Amino acid sequence: MTKSIDKIVKTEEQWKSLLDDETYRVTRLKGTERPFTGKYLEHDAQGNYKCVCCGSELFKSSQKFDAHCGWPSFDQSIEGAVDYHKDSTLGMIRVEITCANCDAHLGHIFEDGPTETGNRYCVNSVSLTFDGE
C-alpha cells in the first residue's frame, strides 16, 4: 500500500531562509557534496535517516552499508519515502532520488549494490539528518 502524502511546497526564497548555503545548493539546486566529506559517510549508529528539509524518514540504519564510493550508501529506502527521476545531466543517464514529501534532491540510485537488493542509494550527507534510537 502506498501512503498518500501532501507535498510540502515552498518558494525558493522560503527554502533559502530555512537552509544553509550548502544544504540549499545540494537539496534544492541538485548539487553534490564533495566525496568523502559527509558527516554520515562512516556513521554507524542505530536509527533513522531523515530528510533535512522536511523531516520525513527516508532510510533505516539497517539499510546502510559501506560502498567505498565517498557518500553514504543504502540498499533500499523506506517504502514510499523516495521518488525516482531520469537524470541525463553530465553526459550520462542516471536515476535521481528525491524526497517524496518535499522533492529535496538526495542523490542517485545505482544497480551495483552488493546486497540482495542489488541497489546502491548514493546519498549526500547534507541532505540528511539522523534520529538515533
Side-chain angles (χ1 to χ4, degrees):
M1 180 172 140
T2 304
K3 63 182 179 180
S4 175
I5 57 173
D6 292 324
K7 289 232 183 213
I8 293 175
V9 178
K10 297 185 184 301
T11 66
E12 290 308 305
E13 288 306 314
Q14 288 172 315
W15 285 121
K16 282 181 184 178
S17 72
L18 293 170
L19 305 170
D20 64 52
D21 290 345
E22 177 69 353
T23 303
Y24 178 80
R25 183 185 71 78
V26 170
T27 62
R28 308 320 305 178
L29 301 178
K30 303 183 185 296
T32 301
E33 67 188 356
R34 288 188 357 257
F36 301 102
T37 63
K39 65 183 174 181
Y40 295 121
L41 178 61
E42 296 180 8
H43 188 255
D44 62 359
Q46 298 298 306
N48 293 317
Y49 293 86
K50 297 181 175 186
C51 176
V52 71
C53 293
C54 71
S56 292
E57 291 184 348
L58 302 170
F59 304 98
K60 297 179 182 293
S61 59
S62 61
Q63 299 165 326
K64 191 172 186 290
F65 67 95
D66 188 356
H68 307 286
C69 66
W71 293 273
S73 297
F74 302 86
D75 67 355
Q76 63 186 39
S77 65
I78 293 173
E79 185 177 346
V82 173
D83 286 338
Y84 306 88
H85 313 275
K86 181 180 177 180
D87 177 1
S88 56
T89 60
L90 304 176
M92 61 183 111
I93 296 177
R94 302 177 289 175
V95 177
E96 175 193 14
I97 53 174
T98 60
C99 173
N101 195 41
C102 72
D103 295 327
H105 172 74
L106 304 171
H108 292 87
I109 184 173
F110 303 95
E111 295 178 340
D112 62 0
T115 71
E116 59 278 353
T117 69
N119 293 325
R120 176 173 55 97
Y121 289 75
C122 189
V123 182
N124 292 287
S125 284
V126 73
S127 67
L128 302 172
T129 61
F130 182 77
D131 186 14
E133 293 179 347

